[in-house]
Amino acid sequence: SLSDFSNDIFDVYIEYGAQYQSFVYSLRFLLFTIPQHVTESCSMFTDIIKGKLRPVLHLLTTDEEATEIESWNVTNSTDMNTSIARVLEKSLSGGLPSFDQSRRDAPAMQDAIVTILEPCSQNRLQTVESGGFIYLWSIGTLARNLASSSQRCECGLEASRKRLMKLKSNFEIVTHVIEVAKLLLEATRVGIDSNNGAIKK
């Protein structure tokens, strides 16, 4: 089954591959390009990131991407023409579902993200510097669902609020999720207004 195959791949990564960049790309491909309805059906994604992969998720960032993130902090700006920005765009499941016809992420996936971000003394995913790719992907996923819920789903908005409450002891994470959600909503409105109804990125 897909779940058994994935578990074998993750075991090899943990044992041998975390130090090699090519393995990082392979693992991210497996985690983020399998259609969501497939991973939902076998709970593969949520079980894996909350379980055996959780201690090494911060390693899913290449040296080049880590350097790019460091440069963002130095210049106090975010250059979107970077490798990590491009890979994040491809890894997220979409923008606002109401505009790009993407699917909202499953509640179980969002809950799993909150689990891996929850503050603890040994959690390496508490900041963008230490969490890298997974931190940014987690923020983007929670933000797109918060933005979508704020448009048309009060029950979804309440669920998003409860998730953020679990993270409230890390003000930076909550702030990043809210700021990205606001930027997504604002960018989408600009896209509509500037192109006579056509959505632009």
Side-chain angles (χ1 to χ4, degrees), residues 60-174:
L60 293 179
T61 306
T62 66
D63 291 341
E64 179 185 4
E65 293 164 352
T67 300
E68 291 169 351
I69 291 171
E70 185 177 350
S71 71
W72 293 351
N73 293 330
V74 171
T75 61
N76 198 31
S77 64
T78 303
D79 181 4
M80 296 308 295
N81 188 28
T82 56
S83 61
I84 193 166
R86 291 190 292 271
V87 77
L88 281 167
E89 182 180 0
K90 295 177 181 178
S91 300
L92 293 167
S93 55
L96 283 178
S98 58
F99 293 116
D100 66 6
Q101 286 74 56
S102 59
R103 296 181 63 190
R104 291 178 61 186
D105 296 296
M109 175 184 287
Q110 297 179 64
D111 292 340
I113 290 171
V114 170
T115 297
I116 65 173
L117 291 178
E118 282 181 326
C120 70
S121 59
Q122 297 180 337
N123 193 344
R124 298 288 298 274
L125 303 178
Q126 292 294 286
T127 67
V128 64
E129 292 84 5
S130 61
F133 169 82
I134 286 293
Y135 179 93
L136 293 170
W137 174 83
S138 298
I139 295 298
T141 299
L142 293 177
R144 70 178 291 267
N145 288 280
L146 172 61
S148 176
S149 296
S150 70
Q151 287 185 319
R152 59 179 184 176
C153 180
E154 290 186 9
C155 59
L157 188 60
E158 177 63 15
S160 291
R161 186 191 70 81
K162 290 180 177 178
R163 291 187 184 100
L164 292 181
M165 287 296 292
K166 293 181 179 180
L167 301 171
K168 66 180 180 179
S169 60
N170 188 323
F171 183 73
E172 184 176 34
I173 290 178
V174 175

